[in-house]
Amino acid sequence: MAEEAKKRTLIAVIGDEDTVTGMLLAGVGQISNDATESYKQKNFIVVDSKTTDDDLAKAFDNYTTKRDDIAIILINQHLAERIRFKVENFTAAFPAVLEIPSKDHPYDPEKDSVLRRVKRLFGE
Amino acid sequence: MAVKEKTIVDLFGSLKLVDRSQLEYLDESPTDDQKKSKNNGDLKSQVKSVNDNNQDNKNTENNINIDKDDDEDIDILSSINTASEKITYNPIDQKIIEYLNLLSKLYDLTLEIDKSSSMGFINLARANYVNFGGISKRYSQLYWDMRDREPKYIVVMNLTQEKQVNFLIKEKETPIDNVESIGLDDKLTEQHNLNESNLRKRNVANLNQSKKVETETDDGNSDESPFHKEPIQEETIKKNEKTKKMKKKIDKSNGINMFGGALAAYPLKQSQKFFIEEFKLLIELANLRTSIENLAIEISKLRLEENSKRNGNSLSFENDKVNIKKGNYNNDNSNKNAFIKKNETNSIELDK
């Protein structure tokens, strides 16, 4: 587990254009055009109106299971809602999945998966 | 005037606080008992007498003992701390208190993240307006520099003594290859690079000959004459030395360089600051969430143990599985056991 943890250093971003722009400005982006597989070339994906739920789910799977160098996944909350079944059923320790607000969709604690578990714990 | 008491959390009902503002009213309108004690200047007895009048307060351990000097102010916080030390909690209650504290921290963090992200988006919108003057063009994916790059910030995961994962931000050291240099004169820099490269120098003999010719034709004191022409190589070397000092090494991993670097709009640089702030807060959020999830698992374990004791069962935890030995397990599928799954072999797996 310690060896796995050492490999995982990157932060992946699944979000709309402005969110990804912001995270790239922060210095999180990694691009390697030499990589043979498409999901290894970049650690960010821009989701727009043309992106389907299947594409979203595939991207989530790529960053969680196929890539072994990602420590944290940042995903917009409204996009996580579209693939809620995937996000809830993902129970592995790494990578950590964080739901972040976007420009058009501010943070809603009722939709957060961690806080939903809190409610269940207290019997609501 | 009776002192009003507040409860911290309705879940517990045992721990109570004395409102400081209400305590001050004691001096203004004291009861008979309090009048007597006031004459002595003993606040301790005042509080005790108020607590005795209070019918809800059955547990004597919850009485707050305040030692007061005549001229000193009452430090209620310190008195509450001392009182809390005397109170004994169930292990589950202790865990739940920690859990609720973490939840309040989580709530505060999410508010801060919301603020910094909204400021970042506002400045990004300003940059789009300033740079492009309209809605049609903006800092979109078409504008990004998609050449190979490394991230500026990476995450390092540490395992704590409690077997908890802790994320730390580390600024990645930029390797030499990743650094780009810009000189004042691009042509001169190219020549400079050629001079330093391992390419075979051609026409060196011709150049040397031209040097000799020039030196031969010149008169004495050639260095002092204003019209003295130095050989080409020496000129370029001198200029290149100047450009070396003026060169700025650009860090490719800096996010602003994806959007034009020095030519980027000022609001874009402002938005970068807010997004970096947001990023650091997100890492704190990740650490908080892992600690919350671990606490939730511990609470569910403790509840299982309690339930099993009531039913006369004995539990053993092995590798995230719970084995029940005796008794009828309480098949209560209530939401309280959300972290627990059932197996056919009467062993239960804890859901992380």
Side-chain angles (χ1 to χ4, degrees):
Chain A
M1 188 173 154
E3 290 173 357
E4 261 192 63
K6 280 181 187 176
K7 282 185 197 175
R8 293 181 182 272
T9 55
L10 296 177
I11 297 128
V13 183
I14 302 173
D16 54 16
E17 199 169 57
D18 287 327
T19 305
V20 175
T21 304
M23 288 296 119
L24 290 176
L25 273 171
V28 153
Q30 179 253 346
I31 302 170
S32 58
N33 293 312
D34 298 335
T36 51
E37 283 150 350
S38 60
Y39 58 84
K40 285 189 179 179
Q41 287 177 355
K42 296 183 289 182
N43 68 335
F44 53 90
I45 282 178
V46 177
V47 176
D48 51 15
S49 54
K50 296 174 187 174
T51 312
T52 59
D53 290 354
D54 286 338
D55 294 336
L56 241 185
K58 273 182 192 175
F60 186 80
D61 283 335
N62 286 338
Y63 289 140
T64 50
T65 53
K66 288 186 182 177
R67 282 189 76 159
D68 58 353
D69 55 353
I70 288 172
I72 299 173
I73 295 177
L74 303 176
I75 181 168
N76 281 138
Q77 198 174 44
H78 69 283
L79 297 175
E81 200 63 29
R82 283 167 65 176
I83 50 166
R84 184 53 68 194
F85 63 99
K86 281 265 178 187
V87 174
E88 293 266 308
N89 290 331
F90 181 73
T91 52
F94 314 118
V97 179
L98 280 182
E99 294 175 27
I100 58 175
S102 68
K103 192 178 70 171
D104 301 321
H105 300 88
Y107 181 75
D108 187 2
E110 288 188 8
K111 292 180 184 174
D112 196 326
S113 57
V114 173
L115 295 178
R116 279 186 185 178
R117 286 188 196 177
V118 169
K119 278 187 180 180
R120 273 186 267 158
L121 189 68
F122 286 103
E124 289 182 27
Chain B
M1 185 177 174
V3 174
K4 291 182 182 178
E5 294 178 345
K6 289 182 184 177
T7 55
I8 295 175
V9 181
D10 292 332
L11 285 169
F12 313 110
S14 58
L15 181 67
K16 293 178 184 178
L17 275 178
V18 174
D19 193 4
R20 185 175 187 170
S21 59
Q22 298 297 326
L23 261 180
E24 288 171 3
Y25 291 123
L26 285 171
D27 296 329
E28 292 175 4
S29 57
T31 58
D32 290 335
D33 290 333
Q34 290 167 5
K35 275 181 187 175
K36 288 178 188 176
S37 57
K38 189 185 176 183
N39 292 329
N40 297 328
D42 187 10
L43 189 71
K44 185 176 174 179
S45 56
Q46 282 183 15
V47 174
K48 274 188 180 176
S49 63
V50 166
N51 285 327
D52 289 334
N53 292 328
N54 193 356
Q55 294 176 357
D56 293 332
N57 190 5
K58 295 178 183 178
N59 191 0
T60 54
E61 289 180 351
N62 291 337
N63 289 336
I64 295 168
N65 296 319
I66 301 169
D67 293 325
K68 185 200 172 190
D69 293 330
D70 291 333
D71 296 325
E72 290 178 0
D73 292 330
I74 302 165
D75 189 2
I76 290 177
L77 288 173
S78 61
S79 63
I80 289 167
N81 286 332
T82 54
S84 64
E85 286 170 2
K86 295 177 185 177
I87 298 167
T88 54
Y89 294 107
N90 281 336
I92 292 180
D93 289 343
Q94 279 178 342
K95 294 284 178 186
I96 288 174
I97 290 169
E98 280 177 45
Y99 196 66
L100 291 169
N101 285 331
L102 286 177
L103 284 177
S104 67
K105 281 182 191 175
L106 182 81
Y107 181 71
D108 293 336
L109 243 186
T110 49
L111 284 176
E112 282 179 39
I113 288 167
D114 227 359
K115 273 183 200 175
S116 56
S117 71
S118 59
M119 287 306 295
F121 287 128
I122 285 167
N123 280 295
L124 184 62
R126 278 185 194 152
N128 286 329
Y129 183 77
V130 164
N131 211 33
F132 302 108
I135 302 168
S136 57
K137 289 185 182 179
R138 47 208 304 272
Y139 283 107
S140 62
Q141 5 181 0
L142 299 170
Y143 203 87
W144 298 343
D145 182 2
M146 296 298 281
R147 288 179 288 179
D148 285 1
R149 65 187 299 109
E150 293 291 319
K152 186 173 184 183
Y153 295 106
I154 56 171
V155 166
V156 175
M157 293 200 283
N158 292 329
L159 278 172
T160 59
Q161 288 178 354
E162 298 163 347
K163 294 184 182 179
Q164 206 174 10
V165 176
N166 205 22
F167 296 102
L168 292 169
I169 301 172
K170 193 180 174 185
E171 206 168 317
K172 199 172 180 182
E173 291 173 2
T174 52
I176 297 166
D177 294 334
N178 211 18
V179 167
E180 210 174 81
S181 60
I182 291 176
L184 287 175
D185 193 346
D186 287 333
K187 288 180 184 177
L188 289 170
T189 54
E190 281 176 8
Q191 278 186 1
H192 179 72
N193 289 332
L194 278 173
N195 289 334
E196 288 183 343
S197 69
N198 295 325
L199 292 172
R200 183 168 64 85
K201 289 183 182 178
R202 297 182 181 180
N203 299 325
V204 173
N206 292 333
L207 282 169
N208 288 333
Q209 278 177 7
S210 65
K211 253 191 191 177
K212 284 179 187 175
V213 166
E214 282 175 1
T215 51
E216 280 172 3
T217 53
D218 285 341
D219 296 332
N221 301 325
S222 60
D223 291 332
E224 294 176 358
S225 64
F227 301 105
H228 173 69
K229 287 184 183 178
E230 291 177 353
I232 296 166
Q233 280 184 345
E234 288 179 5
E235 274 183 8
T236 55
I237 288 165
K238 280 185 182 177
K239 283 184 182 178
N240 288 336
E241 284 175 357
K242 283 181 186 176
T243 55
K244 266 186 188 177
K245 292 174 188 175
M246 301 291 286
K247 274 181 189 176
K248 289 183 183 179
K249 291 188 176 178
I250 290 177
D251 183 8
K252 265 191 178 179
S253 63
N254 190 352
I256 201 79
N257 293 318
M258 273 185 97
F259 301 88
L263 299 173
Y266 179 71
L268 194 71
K269 292 175 188 174
Q270 290 288 94
S271 72
Q272 186 188 29
K273 283 182 191 175
F274 287 110
F275 282 122
I276 289 171
E277 233 183 82
E278 186 196 352
F279 170 67
K280 290 177 181 175
L281 289 171
L282 284 170
I283 301 300
E284 278 184 45
L285 187 76
N287 289 331
L288 244 187
R289 283 196 180 181
T290 51
S291 51
I292 284 171
E293 285 175 4
N294 287 332
L295 251 184
I297 289 166
E298 285 176 27
I299 290 169
S300 59
K301 274 185 186 177
L302 288 169
R303 278 184 170 167
L304 262 181
E305 283 178 1
E306 263 199 43
N307 285 334
S308 64
K309 280 176 187 175
R310 283 177 202 167
N311 296 325
N313 297 334
S314 63
L315 289 179
S316 61
F317 295 98
E318 294 173 5
N319 295 330
D320 298 337
K321 283 187 182 179
V322 181
N323 294 319
I324 303 165
K325 285 183 182 176
K326 288 183 186 179
N328 296 323
Y329 177 64
N330 186 9
N331 287 324
D332 183 13
N333 284 324
S334 66
N335 290 329
K336 287 183 182 179
N337 297 327
F339 286 93
I340 299 160
K341 286 181 186 174
K342 275 190 187 176
N343 273 344
E344 292 174 355
T345 55
N346 207 24
S347 68
I348 299 165
E349 285 181 1
L350 285 171
D351 193 8
K352 284 188 179 178

